[in-house]
């Protein structure tokens, strides 16, 4: 079976992690159980026999006996038939950490040891299952002795077995897992084997509500239950699968918006069911938000009782005005909606789809056919798309010459991080070491086995393990994306099965290929693995394997389909706490942001931020500029339409000139030769004679070749005359002569001559003003043609060395 077939089979396998529709409910708390129904005498005898040694005479045991007696005295005065009822009725469970104040009320000034005795007595009641406090109370106490005694009394063999299984984890992670399992046993009762998936969810929710989010995300306790077979086979393999919202049905998506009209609600359910096969789940939810909340629910709120898609012009106009602004909870406009036209597109498509489907299935869709309240010109996005295309092209033109600088930066950052963490691991705690001119002091090794150091110069504490991981994955991301041009989700879905060996039919040479899993277009493709790319992927595999025979199998969460993949050997994964996790899009973006900041690549003084999709545009642009046909580039990138590929390519002006000249050369070879004959001597002399006649007294004539003079050589009036500032005195004499002639013509009554002279004087005045303006302008300096150098975009210091200021351009 080929690797591609293996991937298909793995995707087709029914994985427990994919099933997010199953409801996992926690066990219902018992109202009464045998320990809490015991009489005081029986309870005291059982607890003292289990948790004290009367013959030892220990002070601890005496304190426990006194505390248990005082606590039972107080609880007997509370209403209820069981010890649990009395505990709840006393209000101690709601009091939290201050619960000891309740038994001491009315007893004067309490002594310091009274609280300790009450707390000690409560340890016996909780560990002996006489009472079962709530999770909020337990999480506020966090009494270590209570948890230890509970594990020893409730299910010691099971807890000991789980502790042995967790020996590979750090002491902190192991203690956290055992504490969580103990809390579940205290709250729900029974044994470890009785714990359910719902119990784990309930505890995690309680931890999140009480701000223990870091502890809520530690999955070791769940992994131990899954490994020992306590949880059923249908339970997800990872705790994260329970914490992330699962994929909802179409009915659940629509019903979440509270649509009142049942008929329209059913219509929307049918509409989204019809469109679901062609959309990913996130896109389906996005369109549902538009049609259900922004469109129909808004109409129901402002027009109660509406039940038809046929909207009056007034209703449609009012809805568009409301949609044009983002509004607060009170309905007041906050700011304009940037994607206003895009929102209109979904509503227009809704009406058009129903009208088109009605032709094929009139019984189902025809009753809902109505005129669309949105015209085509209202949702035109050509102008905005052109603006986006222009901005992306400019961004690509800026980044492409700066790519070598980024590659040097990520490589240097990775090597520096490796050098620092290697030197730190070889340095004992408390001692100092020097790397690349920086002095550090090694901190003590933490329980998480991370390497921490302190900068001697600044005193700042640094996590070298985190820095080295971020530097490595930044380097790997940049290299893979720039060599392949794949999308970020396609990169994260690369597995060890993605490598395919292709044998050339002509030479028999084996060529390594990289299989890209179906992503946006649901079509997989093969890419050639260059030697540079093979080196990067080898480094990734070596790192992830970490000396083991194979890569760890992990499940990845698809944010678009909101489903979990079956366990697969993903290349982009890392160790996170006690489990291996695939890298996420957010982690990759965080790494690139840190890389952009450390690279110090600036454009016009502003730092340049690199994003994953930038490398896809750079890959397409560079490939087409290098001569790769656009349709081949579209096949490599997985584009369904050639226009999409050309939208990624930022064509440079010099590319246009070179391709146009090549086109003219090819056209000349195909055109008849007589169309490109040599000029005759007569034709050339006639052409030169035209330019010999351009020089006149006041400047230069600008009329075109083979055109006659339309002003009969009256150059003062001609708008094509380009005046020479050096001839200003001559034109002033002409203007003074015209003044004298105008005075004479008026005295003699030559009215026609007056009109002609006035026209000539106006033209002369205009040309005098043009001469004065040209005379005041500074002289121009030829700077030459600018070029794009390979070392642009460096830091300020590098730029000063590479581009020293030209003394000729100063001032």
């Amino acid at each position: 079976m080929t690797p591609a077939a293996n991937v298909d089979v793995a995707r087709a396998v029914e994985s427990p992690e994919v099933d997010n529709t199953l409801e996992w409910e926690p066990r219902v708390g018992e109202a009464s159980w045998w320990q809490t129904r015991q009489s005081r005498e029986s309870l005291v005898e059982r607890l003292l026999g289990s948790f004290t040694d009367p013959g030892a005479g220990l002070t601890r045991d005496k304190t426990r006996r006194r505390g248990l007696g005082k606590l039972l005295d107080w609880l007997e005065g509370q209403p209820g038939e069981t010890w649990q009822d009395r505990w709840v009725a006393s209000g101690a469970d709601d009091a939290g950490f201050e619960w000891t104040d309740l038994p001491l009320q009315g007893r004067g000034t309490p002594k310091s040891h009274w609280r300790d005795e009450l707390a000690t007595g409560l340890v016996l009641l909780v560990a002996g299952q006489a009472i079962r406090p709530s999770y909020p109370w337990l999480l506020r106490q966090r009494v270590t002795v209570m948890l230890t005694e509970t594990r020893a009394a409730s299910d010691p063999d099971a807890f000991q077995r789980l502790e042995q299984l967790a020996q590979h984890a750090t002491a902190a992670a192991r203690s956290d897992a055992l504490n969580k399992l103990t809390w579940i046993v205290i709250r729900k009762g029974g044994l470890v084997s009785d714990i359910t998936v719902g119990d784990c969810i309930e505890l995690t929710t309680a931890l999140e509500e009480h701000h223990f989010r870091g502890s809520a995300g530690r999955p070791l306790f769940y992994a131990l239950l899954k490994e020992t077979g306590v949880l059923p086979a249908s339970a997800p393999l990872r705790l994260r699968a329970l914490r992330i919202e699962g994929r909802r049905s179409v009915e659940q998506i629509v019903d979440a918006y509270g649509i009142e009209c049942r008929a329209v609600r059913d219509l929307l359910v049918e509409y989204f069911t019809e469109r679901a096969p062609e959309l990913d789940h996130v896109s389906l939810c996005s369109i549902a938000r538009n049609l259900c909340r922004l469109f129909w629910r808004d109409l129901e709120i402002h027009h109660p009782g509406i039940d038809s898609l046929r909207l009056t012009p007034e209703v449609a106009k009012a809805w568009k005005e409301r949609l044009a602004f983002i509004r607060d909870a009170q309905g007041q406009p906050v700011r304009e909606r940037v994607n206003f036209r895009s929102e209109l597109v979904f509503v227009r498509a809704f009406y058009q789809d129903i009208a088109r489907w009605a032709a094929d299935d009139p019984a189902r869709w025809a009753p809902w056919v109505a005129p669309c309240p949105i015209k085509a010109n209202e949702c035109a996005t050509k102008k905005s798309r052109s603006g986006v295309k222009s901005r992306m092209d400019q961004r690509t033109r800026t980044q492409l010459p700066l790519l070598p600088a980024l590659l040097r930066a990520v490589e240097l950052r990775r090597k520096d991080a490796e050098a620092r963490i290697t030197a730190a691991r070889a340095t004992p705690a408390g001692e100092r070491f020097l790397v690349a001119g920086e002095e550090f002091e090694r901190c003590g090794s933490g329980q998480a086995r991370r390497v921490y150091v302190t900068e001697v110069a600044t005193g700042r504490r640094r996590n070298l393990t985190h820095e080295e991981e971020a530097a490595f994955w930044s380097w790997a991301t940049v290299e893979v994306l720039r060599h392949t041009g794949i999308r970020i989700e396609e990169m994260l879905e690369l597995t060890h099965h993605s490598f395919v060996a292709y044998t050339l039919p002509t030479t028999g040479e084996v060529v390594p290929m990289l299989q890209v899993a179906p992503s946006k277009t649901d079509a997989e493709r093969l890419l050639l693995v260059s030697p540079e790319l093979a080196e990067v992927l080898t480094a990734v595999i070596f790192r992830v394997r970490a000396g083991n025979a194979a890569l760890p199998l992990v499940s990845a969460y698809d944010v678009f389909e909101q489903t979990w993949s079956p366990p697969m050997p993903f290349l982009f994964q890392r160790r996170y706490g006690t489990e291996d996790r695939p890298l996420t899009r957010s982690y990759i973006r965080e790494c690139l942001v840190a890389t952009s900041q450390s690279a110090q690549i600036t454009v016009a003084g502003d730092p340049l931020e690199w994003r994953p999709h930038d490398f896809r545009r750079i890959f397409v642009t560079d490939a087409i500029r290098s001569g790769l046909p656009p349709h081949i580039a579209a096949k490599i990138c997985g584009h369904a339409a050639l226009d999409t590929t050309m939208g990624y390519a930022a064509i440079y002006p010099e590319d246009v000139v070179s391709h146009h000249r090549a086109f003219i050369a090819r056209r000349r070879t195909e055109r008849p030769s007589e169309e490109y004959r040599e000029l005759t001597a007569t034709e050339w002399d006639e052409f030169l004679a035209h330019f010999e006649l351009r020089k006149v007294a006041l400047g230069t004539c600008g009329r075109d070749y083979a055109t006659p003079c339309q002003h009969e050589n009256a150059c003062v009036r001609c708008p094509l005359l380009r005046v020479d500032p050096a001839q200003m005195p001559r034109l002033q004499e002409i203007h003074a002569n015209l003044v004298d002639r105008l005075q004479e013509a008026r005295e003699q009554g030559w009215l026609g001559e007056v009109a002609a002279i006035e026209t000539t004087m106006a033209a002369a005045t205009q040309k005098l003003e043009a001469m004065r303006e040209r005379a005041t302008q500074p002289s121009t300096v030829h700077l030459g043609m600018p070029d794009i150098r390979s070392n642009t975009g460096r830091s300020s210091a590098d730029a000063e060395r590479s581009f020293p200021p030209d003394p000729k351009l100063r001032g």
Side-chain angles (χ1 to χ4, degrees):
M1 182 178 292
T2 63
N6 289 332
V7 174
D8 296 336
V9 171
R11 290 179 180 272
V13 173
E14 184 67 22
S15 173
E17 203 124 4
V18 180
D19 186 6
N20 290 306
T21 61
L22 185 60
E23 295 291 339
W24 302 100
E25 295 293 340
R27 287 179 290 169
V28 179
E30 298 179 273
S32 176
W33 55 97
W34 72 269
Q35 293 98 327
T36 194
R37 292 194 301 266
Q38 282 187 299
S39 63
R40 175 167 180 164
E41 293 75 13
S42 301
L43 179 62
V44 171
E45 181 181 358
R46 180 173 65 86
L47 296 181
L48 294 180
S50 301
F51 299 103
T52 63
D53 185 3
L58 298 177
T59 303
R60 184 200 64 178
D61 294 342
K62 296 178 181 178
T63 303
R64 288 185 174 184
R65 283 193 290 268
R66 288 196 302 268
L68 180 60
K70 292 179 180 180
L71 188 59
L72 293 179
D73 291 341
W74 173 67
L75 288 178
E76 282 185 326
Q78 307 300 324
E81 297 181 356
T82 63
W83 297 109
Q84 177 70 14
D85 295 340
R86 298 175 186 126
W87 167 260
V88 175
S90 68
D93 197 80
D94 298 329
F97 190 76
E98 291 78 18
W99 72 272
T100 54
D101 294 339
L102 300 178
L104 298 177
Q105 289 179 357
R107 300 188 61 180
T109 303
K111 297 182 179 179
S112 59
H113 65 274
W114 288 359
R115 297 181 185 276
D116 296 336
E117 290 177 349
L118 290 173
T120 303
L122 187 62
V123 169
L124 304 188
L125 290 180
V126 173
Q129 285 289 306
I131 62 173
R132 294 175 181 175
S134 62
Y135 281 131
W137 189 92
L138 288 170
L139 298 180
R140 287 189 180 98
Q141 306 303 312
R142 304 177 70 86
V143 181
T144 304
V145 65
M146 179 186 297
L147 302 177
T148 304
E149 295 290 359
T150 301
R151 287 195 286 267
S154 298
D155 198 354
D157 294 336
F159 281 108
Q160 186 176 4
R161 184 170 63 255
L162 293 174
E163 186 174 5
Q164 292 176 353
L165 288 175
Q167 288 300 320
H168 65 281
T170 62
R174 186 165 58 251
S175 176
D176 177 81
L178 294 177
N179 289 345
K180 289 177 180 177
L181 296 174
T182 309
W183 284 330
I184 296 177
V185 170
I186 291 175
R187 178 58 186 152
K188 295 297 182 179
L191 304 176
V192 173
S193 58
D194 299 325
I195 297 177
T196 66
V197 176
D199 295 340
C200 299
I201 298 176
E202 185 181 27
L203 174 62
T204 303
T205 304
L207 290 168
E208 292 176 344
E209 291 176 353
H210 290 275
H211 310 293
F212 297 140
R213 296 182 179 177
S215 178
R218 297 183 187 131
L220 182 58
F221 83 103
Y222 184 89
L224 293 175
L225 296 176
K226 186 68 177 176
E227 185 177 356
T228 55
V230 173
L231 301 181
S234 58
L237 297 177
R238 299 287 186 269
L239 178 64
R240 294 180 65 243
L242 299 173
R243 302 181 64 198
I244 298 178
E245 182 182 0
R247 183 169 182 167
R248 296 178 296 168
S249 63
V250 174
E251 291 80 3
Q252 292 174 330
I253 295 174
V254 175
D255 291 339
Y257 296 102
I259 295 177
E260 297 177 355
C261 182
R262 188 69 183 180
V264 175
R265 179 265 180 195
D266 295 339
L267 170 67
L268 291 171
V269 170
E270 291 187 23
Y271 176 76
F272 292 127
T273 303
E274 192 76 17
R275 292 204 59 186
E278 64 185 23
L279 299 171
D280 57 61
H281 195 69
V282 171
S283 300
L284 183 66
C285 294
S286 176
I287 298 176
R289 167 189 166 274
N290 182 285
L291 296 180
C292 296
R293 185 169 74 86
L294 298 182
F295 175 58
W296 188 255
R297 184 57 187 152
D298 181 84
L299 291 175
E300 287 186 337
I301 293 174
H302 294 87
H303 305 279
I306 187 172
D307 59 356
S308 174
L309 297 181
R310 190 178 296 273
L311 307 181
T312 62
E314 295 77 12
V315 173
K317 180 181 178 181
W319 168 71
K320 295 174 190 176
E321 292 176 352
R322 294 191 299 270
L323 183 66
F325 291 89
I326 300 292
R327 301 178 182 273
D328 56 18
Q330 288 72 32
Q332 299 300 322
V334 178
R335 64 181 185 275
E336 292 186 0
R337 192 182 297 272
V338 178
N339 58 340
F340 169 67
R341 293 182 179 271
S342 300
E343 304 289 359
L344 294 179
V345 170
F346 293 114
V347 179
R348 179 175 172 83
F350 173 60
Y351 276 84
Q352 291 179 337
D353 288 340
I354 292 178
R356 186 173 65 254
W357 296 345
D360 300 330
D361 192 356
R364 183 181 179 187
W365 304 105
W368 293 100
V369 175
C372 181
I374 303 172
K375 298 179 181 179
N377 59 353
E378 291 180 308
C379 54
T381 58
K382 181 179 179 181
K383 184 176 181 180
S384 61
R385 290 198 304 268
S386 300
V388 172
K389 167 66 175 171
S390 177
R391 291 193 299 271
M392 291 299 101
D393 287 353
Q394 182 59 37
R395 182 178 177 86
T396 303
R397 294 190 188 102
T398 302
Q399 289 178 324
L400 186 55
L402 303 179
L403 184 59
L406 176 68
L407 299 180
R408 291 192 298 269
V410 295
E411 178 69 20
L412 179 62
R413 183 166 176 253
R414 180 176 72 98
K415 290 182 178 179
D416 290 346
E418 289 180 354
R420 282 193 296 268
I421 196 171
T422 302
R425 285 171 176 166
T427 303
E431 295 187 7
R432 297 184 178 184
F433 61 95
L434 193 68
V435 176
E438 292 181 309
E439 189 176 7
F440 302 92
E441 182 177 339
R442 174 69 190 275
C443 300
S445 300
Q447 294 180 340
R449 298 174 185 158
R450 292 184 173 271
V451 179
Y452 290 92
V453 298
T454 302
E455 292 183 2
V456 176
T458 62
R460 184 167 66 97
R461 183 182 174 90
R462 294 172 59 176
N463 185 348
L464 296 188
T465 303
H466 174 76
E467 292 181 6
E468 193 274 335
E469 287 183 350
F472 176 85
W473 290 117
S474 297
W475 168 78
T477 298
V478 171
E479 291 291 340
V480 171
L481 291 181
R482 82 176 183 94
H483 282 299
T484 61
I486 59 180
R487 305 176 181 92
I488 180 175
E489 59 267 21
E490 294 172 338
M491 181 191 72
L492 296 179
E493 290 179 359
L494 293 176
T495 68
H496 211 175
H497 301 306
S498 300
F499 296 98
V500 178
Y502 176 71
T503 304
L504 296 177
T506 55
T507 62
E509 180 183 359
V510 178
V511 179
M513 305 289 287
L514 189 65
Q515 183 184 33
V516 180
S519 176
K520 191 173 182 179
T521 57
D522 288 335
E524 64 181 11
R525 58 191 189 276
L526 290 176
L527 302 178
L528 180 65
V529 177
S530 62
E532 297 82 3
L533 179 60
E535 182 180 355
V536 175
L537 296 177
T538 301
V540 171
I541 294 174
F542 180 80
R543 180 187 185 87
V544 174
R545 195 169 57 182
N548 298 320
L551 272 69
L553 300 179
V554 295
S555 297
Y557 181 72
D558 191 334
V559 295
F560 297 103
E561 295 294 345
Q562 294 185 349
T563 57
W564 288 87
S565 71
M568 301 182 69
F570 289 103
L571 297 183
F572 283 77
Q573 60 171 289
R574 67 188 181 110
R575 190 71 177 176
Y576 188 88
T578 58
E579 67 177 2
D580 297 295
R581 291 186 183 179
L583 300 187
T584 60
R585 297 158 61 94
S586 60
Y587 179 78
I588 294 297
R589 290 193 177 95
E590 291 175 2
C591 292
L592 290 183
V593 168
T595 298
S596 302
Q597 294 174 352
S598 63
Q600 298 181 354
I601 300 176
T602 59
V603 176
D606 298 327
L608 181 61
E609 180 178 339
W610 297 79
R611 302 166 188 156
H613 218 65
D614 293 335
F615 301 98
R616 184 169 174 84
R617 297 188 184 94
I618 292 174
F619 177 84
V620 175
T621 302
D622 190 48
I624 294 180
R625 287 188 65 199
S626 302
L628 186 69
H631 66 283
I632 301 298
K635 191 70 175 178
I636 294 176
C637 294
H639 290 153
L642 185 60
D643 292 342
T644 306
T645 306
M646 298 308 299
Y648 276 76
I651 305 302
Y652 288 72
E654 56 265 28
D655 297 332
V656 177
V657 174
S658 61
H659 283 80
H660 184 66
R661 294 181 64 180
F663 166 74
I664 293 177
R666 292 193 303 270
R667 187 182 65 177
R668 284 186 173 181
T669 59
E670 298 174 358
R671 302 285 291 184
S673 58
E674 54 270 15
E675 295 187 7
Y676 302 100
R677 60 181 176 82
E678 296 292 334
L679 292 175
T680 62
T682 304
E683 292 174 334
W684 182 250
D685 292 340
E686 181 183 353
F687 178 74
L688 295 178
H690 165 78
F691 294 97
E692 293 175 354
L693 298 177
R694 284 195 168 193
K695 188 64 178 176
V696 294
L698 298 178
T700 306
C701 178
R703 62 188 177 93
D704 297 334
Y705 170 71
T707 57
C709 179
Q710 298 180 358
H711 297 277
E712 299 178 354
N713 299 314
C715 298
V716 176
R717 297 184 179 183
C718 183
L720 297 179
L721 174 64
R722 183 177 177 86
V723 294
D724 184 3
Q727 300 299 327
M728 184 180 296
R730 179 185 298 274
L731 187 56
Q732 290 175 344
E733 293 179 2
I734 294 175
H735 187 271
N737 187 22
L738 289 173
V739 173
D740 296 339
R741 289 178 56 193
L742 179 63
Q743 182 65 25
E744 180 185 4
R746 286 175 176 172
E747 292 176 355
Q748 300 296 330
W750 301 334
L751 299 182
E753 189 71 12
V754 169
I757 293 175
E758 288 179 345
T759 302
T760 306
M761 286 183 62
T765 302
Q766 181 181 7
K767 287 181 170 53
L768 280 172
E769 294 177 356
M771 283 183 174
R772 294 189 184 100
E773 291 180 358
R774 294 191 59 186
T776 58
Q777 293 178 353
S779 59
T780 59
V781 178
H782 180 66
L783 300 179
M785 293 298 293
D787 61 340
I788 300 176
R789 304 187 181 185
S790 59
N791 52 1
T792 56
R794 293 183 176 180
S795 60
S796 58
D798 294 337
E800 187 70 21
R801 291 193 297 269
S802 302
F803 302 100
D806 192 345
K808 297 181 180 179
L809 303 181
R810 292 181 177 176

